[in-house]
Amino acid sequence: MTKAAEENQTPTQDLPGSADVGTPPPGAPASTATAGGPAASAGRLPRVESLTGLRWWAAFFVFCHHMTQLAPLPVYDFLKYGTSGVTFFFVLSGFVLTWSSRPGTKIGTFYRRRFARIFPLYFLTLVAAFFVFYRVDPPAGMSWIKPISITVLVLSTFLVHGWSNNPTILYGGNPAGWTLSVEAFFYAYFPFVWRATQKLKTAGGLILCVAVIVLGGAYRLALFHYKDVVPILPQPVLHSVAFLFGIGLAIALRSGWKPRIPVWFAFLVTGGGLYVLWYSGAHPTEVPGAITMGLCQKEFLTFLYGFLILAVAARDMRGGRSLLRSKPLVALGQWSYAFYLIHATIMYAIKEHHGIAGPIGWSNLTWYAGVLALSIFASWLLYKFVEHPLERKLRGPR
């Protein structure tokens, strides 16, 4: 999950600073102006705090997918698209970092703040995950518990496991941590992309969005048709499509573009798009272009989530009212990084000792409620006593 997406939108942030309000993944950036207020001086941008509340729903979608492994619902087949929440966070990460970036920040300062933002909590949850997902002698019938591998754990600790397409390595350590490995790659090259795109305006930003979608889709189609020739790229490179798309959107909005897209319509388009993806996968002969849609699913999702982020951010820029800026959703958005990193560990610990909740049925919603409440409580504790205080201590002077 993208952690850039969890950036506070504070006026003191330089490149992508970080504090409280909202994205990764697990808000967003920027200025002295309150949402909907006049733009502040010195070219600072208005706050887009609704992205904080929005990122909570993306994290919740991921949670719903993982819960199908413990308490399956009748719609479990659709809930598998909860994994697409990470695509949302990658788009949001690119958007947030670009929106909150300011000239003059040293690259070393940027990297130090990124480390302070993601690593302390990641390391703590990695340790917790070790006791749930690893054993010297894994019990039979529990495929999620793996034998201890020092190599995998070292790669996970240094966030380089995401470069392997071997599932044992890719999902090693804390299984949710592979997205942080992808994020680390984004952070490594973002300062250079930022400097190279500073002069782009609305048209340039939108051209960047179209270009990365086209290139990403073309690669996936080429991989399908010429699998013996085209190499399989590692996850950080593949997911750069979503990250660069988010950068393009932020460039367009920073340049003054304020499209009037009703947020309800954006939610309708996003939800409808997810349904089309599910239906085309379940009934490929009934939907024209279903195979192409399935192959280019990540690019399709990038567009859908980018469209939603664009609508929400543009509304905040215009000063529209937003339930996504409510205090409960902002708080949940602030805790979403911790929630993302800890909920699967909690869920699988319960599964080990209890087993599957029961047969597929709506009665399993009680399990969703219980595990959700426990995960939210744990994420609040982690945010309050680990993530936020350690970040403030490690990031250094602003």
Side-chain angles (χ1 to χ4, degrees), residues 88-377:
F88 170 88
F89 284 117
F90 292 149
V91 177
L92 186 57
S93 181
F95 183 93
V96 166
L97 291 178
T98 304
W99 185 264
S100 60
S101 295
R102 294 168 59 189
T105 300
K106 296 179 180 179
I107 292 180
T109 299
F110 171 71
Y111 289 153
R112 186 186 71 246
R113 292 176 178 177
R114 293 295 86 222
F115 176 86
R117 188 72 176 108
I118 71 169
F119 194 78
L121 183 61
Y122 168 73
F123 183 75
L124 178 63
T125 56
L126 174 63
V127 173
F130 171 80
F131 293 100
V132 173
F133 295 105
Y134 289 90
R135 298 286 192 284
V136 173
D137 184 19
M142 297 184 181
S143 59
W144 65 91
I145 301 179
K146 301 173 284 289
I148 296 174
S149 169
I150 300 300
T151 299
V152 171
L153 293 174
V154 169
L155 292 175
S156 300
T157 299
F158 289 96
L159 289 174
V160 292
H161 56 307
W163 288 90
S164 173
N165 288 320
N166 180 341
T168 301
I169 298 175
L170 178 63
Y171 303 115
N174 183 342
W178 72 270
T179 59
L180 275 296
S181 185
V182 174
E183 281 285 321
F185 177 60
F186 295 163
Y187 298 159
Y189 70 72
F190 174 77
F192 306 99
V193 174
W194 157 247
R195 291 180 180 182
T197 58
Q198 282 189 64
K199 294 183 179 180
L200 293 182
K201 301 300 180 184
T202 299
L206 295 179
I207 289 173
L208 175 60
C209 290
V210 173
V212 295
I213 288 286
V214 170
L215 288 173
Y219 167 77
R220 294 187 189 275
L221 292 176
L223 182 63
F224 176 75
H225 291 290
Y226 308 103
K227 60 184 66 177
D228 294 332
V229 178
V230 179
I232 299 176
L233 298 176
Q235 296 299 316
V237 177
L238 290 175
H239 287 290
S240 287
V241 170
F243 183 68
L244 293 170
F245 190 89
I247 290 176
L249 287 180
I251 289 171
L253 286 180
R254 283 181 66 121
S255 301
W257 186 43
K258 298 179 183 179
R260 291 187 171 275
I261 304 170
V263 172
W264 65 265
F265 177 71
F267 272 106
L268 184 64
V269 169
T270 304
L274 289 171
Y275 177 80
V276 169
L277 275 177
W278 167 77
Y279 191 85
S280 64
H283 309 279
T285 60
E286 299 178 20
V287 180
I291 294 178
T292 299
M293 193 179 304
L295 293 172
C296 300
Q297 183 180 122
K298 288 291 191 296
E299 286 67 39
F300 191 62
L301 290 167
T302 293
F303 173 79
L304 289 177
Y305 288 135
F307 183 70
L308 180 59
I309 290 169
L310 173 65
V312 169
R315 180 181 62 181
D316 274 16
M317 290 177 67
R318 296 194 306 270
R321 299 182 60 167
S322 173
L323 290 176
L324 293 170
R325 291 198 301 268
S326 64
K327 288 185 177 180
L329 281 179
V330 166
L332 287 170
Q334 290 174 326
W335 308 338
S336 64
Y337 178 51
F339 178 85
Y340 174 78
L341 288 177
I342 200 64
H343 76 268
T345 299
I346 291 173
M347 189 200 79
Y348 277 101
I350 294 172
K351 185 177 179 179
E352 178 182 357
H353 294 285
H354 183 276
I356 296 292
I360 299 172
W362 292 110
S363 60
N364 286 333
L365 283 173
T366 57
W367 279 89
Y368 277 71
V371 178
L372 178 64
L374 182 59
S375 298
I376 289 176
F377 179 68

